[in-house]
Amino acid sequence: MVAFLGLPVDLGELILGAGEADFESFDLTEPALALGLGEGRHPDADRIEQILLAEGKAPAQARRATVLGRPIEHNQSAKTDKAKERKPWLAMDLVFRAPPTVHIAWALMDDETRRVLELCQDIARDKTLAWLEDAVAEIRWKSGGKKRARVRDGLIVAVFRHYESRAADSRPPLHDHAVVSIRARRPDGTWGNQTGALMKHIVAADALYTLLFMEEVSARLGWAWEPREATPGRRPVMEIPGIDQRLICWQSTRRQQIADALPLLTANYEERQGHPPGERAAYALACQAADQTRSPKRTQLRSLSELRAAWRESAARADVVAGLAERARAAAAAIWARVRPVVDVALAVAETMAVVYVMRGAFARRHLLAEARRHLACVLRGRPHRPGLDEEIVQAAIDGYTRPASRRMLTADLRPCTRPTPRTRPCCAH
């Protein structure tokens, strides 16, 4: 799952800084992180300032040379009450998290399997970030952000991995954080702020990450995937078959906490509004339930080897840990024996359009792209897809089955579906 979190000026526990062009690649240090993502300055600003001062530059000039675009202090101006209250938005935290059964395999299987799954995570994450960088991210300038273009020299990204959650009886939630700086280069080489394009494409990025991760796992470990209904009434999630349901329940203690808190929140919503929550309201209620049941951050840190030993000891009580890899391979063989992973483009176009139209009514290209990637993941079950096939499905859906709903949104044009098929006269034999 790729999630999005907006970060205030205090970035807290972020760990790694990297980038391109002037940023190059930096070893993680707290000062470099504070400079690059906390103050909008070059991660090596202190050394650069010392060099410029030694060359005779004035202190203000040396400091200004390390600032990427407009100084952060400008946003903290006390000229108006509104400016006093405003916190600058400096980065976006993208969270890459694989399906729960992957966490189980990663935590309980052998070290070689663990390393392969971590490699699959690295590849899928980096390819998704590359897509966001090349096809989505854009920079703005001029009054009101009137001018927009693709970023120059790429994005500034800090990546680090988490192995556990806040809970004291933490289950293995393998996930990566990619903190993307809002600062980027314009085509003319100056620095400025990105638009909100990355936020709008989070769901499409999530679908791409899942699709790529599934393909890497299937190619390297020979496993297959199958859809599983994790939450009644919601979309199924793709999981590794052969993982016992008892282990899934063992791993999903946090999900159960949220599920237990959700009915009361939903009932209160229905009492206030007079109707059940829709898709957006249900998501907001789930976030509220997660906040209410979140444990405080742990202060005692444990190594990965300590965590894996504790997970194995805890999972052993379910009595289904032995032979996990063998069961996954056997389940994959059974799936490949009965499932033919071939994409019918016409069917993919129709299903993508139908799902998005029913779920949203009015939609944008990015919504179709996310659903097309989900369709490919479900059909191919981990087999590789042809590059560009997701975009091909989306373009065919737009060309054949949409009409404008507003200046920026589309909706379904159902006339091609209801148009009668022309009748042909039988040919007479002579």
Side-chain angles (χ1 to χ4, degrees):
M1 174 184 68
V2 181
F4 167 80
L5 297 171
L7 297 179
V9 67
D10 180 12
L11 297 183
E13 299 179 346
L14 306 180
I15 301 179
L16 176 67
E20 296 183 27
D22 285 351
F23 266 64
E24 301 160 356
S25 186
F26 290 86
D27 293 334
L28 172 66
T29 63
E30 187 173 340
L33 181 66
L35 288 166
L37 294 177
E39 299 182 22
R41 300 173 65 200
H42 195 288
D44 206 14
D46 292 338
R47 185 182 63 83
I48 294 173
E49 277 194 56
Q50 292 299 323
I51 293 175
L52 294 176
L53 291 172
E55 293 176 354
K57 303 290 186 183
Q61 188 177 7
R63 178 178 175 81
R64 184 66 185 85
T66 66
V67 175
L68 310 180
R70 181 177 294 176
I72 296 300
E73 290 80 4
H74 174 85
N75 292 333
Q76 297 175 336
S77 170
K79 292 181 180 179
T80 66
D81 291 338
K82 185 176 181 181
K84 289 180 183 178
E85 298 172 357
R86 186 173 59 191
K87 289 184 177 181
W89 183 24
L90 302 180
M92 295 161 277
D93 183 14
L94 310 183
V95 183
F96 295 81
R97 179 168 178 167
T101 46
V102 174
H103 307 158
I104 295 171
W106 171 82
L108 303 180
M109 292 187 186
D110 58 85
D111 283 337
E112 183 178 354
T113 302
R114 173 182 63 83
R115 286 191 289 268
V116 171
L117 290 173
E118 289 177 358
L119 175 62
C120 295
Q121 171 82 347
D122 292 339
I123 294 172
R125 179 202 65 220
D126 291 347
K127 286 184 176 181
T128 303
L129 287 172
W131 174 75
L132 288 170
E133 181 179 77
D134 297 337
V136 176
E138 60 181 10
I139 192 75
R140 59 183 172 87
W141 68 99
K142 295 292 186 184
S143 178
K146 294 177 181 177
K147 284 196 173 184
R148 302 188 177 201
R150 290 281 177 253
V151 299
R152 171 180 164 181
D153 301 324
L155 298 174
I156 303 168
V157 184
V159 177
F160 64 98
R161 179 160 291 164
H162 269 170
Y163 296 128
E164 57 178 335
S165 66
R166 295 169 179 247
D169 59 342
S170 172
R171 299 297 187 260
L174 172 66
H175 63 283
D176 292 347
H177 291 261
V179 184
V180 183
S181 173
I182 197 173
R183 296 294 172 92
R185 280 188 191 272
R186 302 185 179 107
D188 62 3
T190 60
W191 289 85
N193 290 346
Q194 295 184 56
T195 68
L198 260 65
M199 290 183 289
K200 294 178 179 178
H201 286 78
I202 288 302
V203 178
D206 175 27
L208 177 61
Y209 159 75
T210 302
L211 178 63
L212 295 172
F213 184 84
M214 289 169 55
E215 292 178 359
E216 291 295 330
V217 170
S218 294
R220 297 173 185 277
L221 293 173
W223 297 348
W225 299 81
E226 63 180 1
R228 178 177 68 87
E229 186 183 52
T231 304
R234 301 292 297 274
R235 299 174 185 273
V237 296
M238 301 303 295
E239 299 283 17
I240 301 169
I243 304 293
D244 194 282
Q245 181 63 39
R246 286 170 289 179
L247 278 179
I248 296 176
C249 295
W250 165 81
Q251 195 272 340
S252 301
T253 54
R254 179 74 180 117
R255 180 187 294 273
Q256 189 59 48
Q257 291 175 348
I258 297 172
D260 292 342
L262 201 53
L264 179 59
L265 294 174
T266 303
N268 291 339
Y269 177 92
E270 293 179 357
E271 183 179 350
R272 291 193 312 269
Q273 304 296 332
H275 60 80
E279 184 180 11
R280 290 187 179 182
Y283 177 76
L285 290 174
C287 292
Q288 186 178 348
D291 288 338
Q292 290 182 357
T293 57
R294 179 173 285 119
S295 305
K297 289 186 177 181
R298 300 175 58 197
T299 57
Q300 182 181 2
L301 301 179
R302 292 183 291 177
S303 67
L304 179 57
S305 58
E306 291 174 328
L307 288 169
R308 281 167 58 82
W311 292 330
R312 287 196 180 99
E313 181 181 355
S314 174
R317 300 166 195 161
D319 198 28
V320 286
V321 176
L324 270 178
E326 291 76 9
R327 288 198 296 274
R329 284 193 289 268
I335 286 179
W336 298 134
R338 61 182 171 83
V339 175
R340 187 172 174 227
V342 176
V343 178
D344 183 325
V345 175
L347 178 62
V349 170
E351 182 171 317
T352 297
M353 175 57 64
V355 171
V356 174
Y357 177 62
V358 169
M359 295 291 291
R360 305 190 64 89
F363 47 84
R365 181 187 181 92
R366 63 181 181 272
H367 302 124
L368 293 171
L369 185 58
E371 190 57 41
R373 288 168 173 170
R374 291 193 191 100
H375 178 86
L376 291 176
C378 189
V379 170
L380 294 176
R381 306 289 185 94
R383 291 292 192 247
H385 72 285
R386 173 167 54 83
L389 181 57
D390 50 354
E391 297 281 359
E392 180 183 326
I393 293 170
V394 170
Q395 194 59 51
I398 292 175
D399 292 343
Y401 299 99
T402 65
R403 58 181 175 83
S406 64
R407 189 165 63 91
R408 296 183 178 180
M409 303 295 281
L410 303 168
T411 190
D413 182 1
L414 302 179
R415 288 173 296 179
C417 303
T418 58
R419 197 171 294 148
T421 304
R423 298 183 64 183
T424 57
R425 307 178 75 179
C427 184
C428 298
H430 294 284

